[in-house]
Amino acid sequence: MNKIMKCSIYPKTTRFGKNEKKIVLTEKIDGSNLTFFKFENELYVAQRNYIFKFKDFKENKDLFKDFIYKGLSLFLEEKGADLEEKLYDGSAICGEWLVKHQISYGERFNTRFLLFAKARVIKTNDGFLLQNIVYNLDLIHWAVGETLPDYLGIVPLVCELDHYPSLEELDKIYLEYSEKQDSKVEGFV
């Protein structure tokens, strides 16, 4: 296998329908999509368009310097081995890697990786595929154990609704939520 696979693993986010019993709104983070997964006891890193093994990164960091997300090299050097140990085999954690795009979050978050989903990963003829993607913020930690390590965060919960919101209601929720934040809010997911 090539050391770097040019492909994506994270699918388009599923949108909810009007028949949902509970609507969970989370803050849309202005970052870069990132997934860590463990397959056959090896940690993989899946950026938007590339997948590579943590082991290959450790052996030849220079090979990755032109495309790896800013700050991710240091994160992998410091936390990669621990994450490889803690992440359950066949599991994936998906989230946003905080890099400065349009929004600067300053000191708002104490980690650079904010999770929004967990999943199972399988190997296919074309690479890897995520299955059973779960967006429940209360369950995400189970991909790595009973508690999240301090270097992993979870996207902020905005609110939970028991009904499908109108556009006017969403606008009101956005205004109230964004007024409480110390950085711009891109939107909701």
Side-chain angles (χ1 to χ4, degrees), residues 1 4 7 19 30 33 40 47-49 57 62-64 67 91 93 111 119-120 138 140 160 164-166 173-175:
M1 179 189 293
I4 303 168
C7 62
N19 294 327
D30 184 28
N33 188 279
E40 294 180 349
Q47 295 184 170
R48 180 161 305 282
N49 296 312
F57 166 80
D62 286 343
L63 180 65
F64 301 89
F67 70 88
S91 292
I93 51 176
T111 179
R120 300 293 298 160
D138 295 329
I140 289 174
E160 295 181 1
Y164 193 83
S166 67
I173 293 169
Y174 176 83
L175 286 173

Side-chain angles (χ1 to χ4, degrees), residues 129-142:
L129 177 70
L130 294 180
Q131 294 185 320
N132 303 330
I133 301 172
V134 175
Y135 297 98
N136 185 326
L137 301 180
D138 295 329
L139 300 178
I140 289 174
H141 67 88
W142 286 110

